[in-house]
């Protein structure tokens, strides 16, 4: 008990025992804190990887769908413009071919490509330019049921 000494026990010895018990409680608390932190860090890291992978797949699919629509649009107009190759259509054909070239150079297999968003913006700009030349008003939509262009 606190404050009671056994026979032959000095006051300093009793305080040392009490101090050791207190230190053991404090050290146990710090140990549990460190252990809990480590477990939480590991759990958060694994959940972060899973969430990041899911996010990357969803957004990668959206970009892939968008690029696919641009490619189909460009190839269709290339065929249409090729059949009626007049002087007026030559500028349109150049823009179509420039868009197709951008799409072919797009790094589909490299998600770490540093200029991915810059190239995607360039493709979007070329697509808008082509739509302006062709006088079409596209509406690209990504929905849970699918994605596509509407005119």
């Amino acid at each position: 008990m606190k404050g009671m000494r056994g026979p032959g026990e000095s006051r300093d010895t009793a305080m040392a025992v009490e101090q050791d018990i207190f230190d053991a409680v404090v050290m146990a608390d710090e140990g549990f804190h460190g252990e809990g932190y480590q477990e939480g860090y590991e759990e958060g890291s694994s959940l972060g990887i899973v969430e990041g992978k899911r996010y990357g797949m969803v957004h990668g699919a959206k970009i892939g769908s968008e690029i696919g629509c641009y490619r189909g649009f460009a190839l269709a107009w290339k065929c249409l413009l090729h059949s009626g190759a007049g002087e007026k259509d030559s500028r349109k054909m150049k823009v179509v071919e420039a868009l197709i070239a951008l799409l072919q150079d797009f790094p589909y297999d490299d998600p770490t490509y540093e200029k991915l968003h810059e190239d995607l913006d360039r493709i979007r700009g070329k697509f808008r330019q082509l739509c302006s030349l062709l006088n079409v008003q596209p509406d690209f939509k990504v929905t849970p049921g699918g994605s596509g262009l509407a005119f």
Side-chain angles (χ1 to χ4, degrees):
M1 278 199 229
K2 189 175 181 180
M4 298 197 60
R5 295 187 293 265
E9 197 175 352
S10 71
R11 182 173 184 200
D12 290 336
T13 306
M15 287 186 72
V17 169
E18 286 181 21
Q19 187 65 32
D20 287 344
I21 292 172
F22 180 72
D23 286 344
V25 169
V26 170
M27 293 305 288
D29 183 51
E30 288 178 8
F32 290 138
H33 181 278
E35 190 177 304
Y37 174 83
Q38 188 62 35
E39 287 176 10
Y41 182 82
E42 290 170 4
E43 180 73 18
S45 293
S46 67
L47 289 175
I49 289 170
V50 170
E51 184 179 343
K53 183 177 180 180
R54 188 177 314 119
Y55 180 84
M57 287 173 40
V58 167
H59 288 281
K62 286 179 183 177
I63 290 173
S65 180
E66 180 181 358
I67 293 291
C69 285
Y70 294 155
R71 183 173 168 84
F73 180 84
L75 292 175
W77 275 101
K78 182 178 179 181
C79 290
L80 291 171
L81 291 173
H82 186 66
S83 63
E87 180 98 12
K88 186 177 175 185
D89 293 335
S90 67
R91 182 164 184 241
K92 295 174 186 175
M93 186 61 114
K94 286 180 183 176
V95 175
V96 166
E97 289 174 353
L99 177 58
I100 292 171
L102 286 172
L103 292 166
Q104 287 174 340
D105 293 341
F106 191 76
Y108 298 99
D109 297 334
D110 186 9
T112 61
Y113 179 64
E114 292 179 10
K115 295 183 179 182
L116 184 110
H117 291 287
E118 292 174 26
D119 286 356
L120 189 56
D121 287 341
R122 210 172 287 122
I123 289 170
R124 288 172 178 153
K126 192 59 72 174
F127 175 73
R128 283 191 297 272
Q129 179 186 9
L130 179 59
C131 289
S132 176
L133 285 172
L134 297 171
N135 198 26
V136 293
Q137 305 296 321
D139 184 21
F140 183 80
K141 293 184 180 179
V142 178
T143 61
S147 62
L149 283 172
F151 298 95

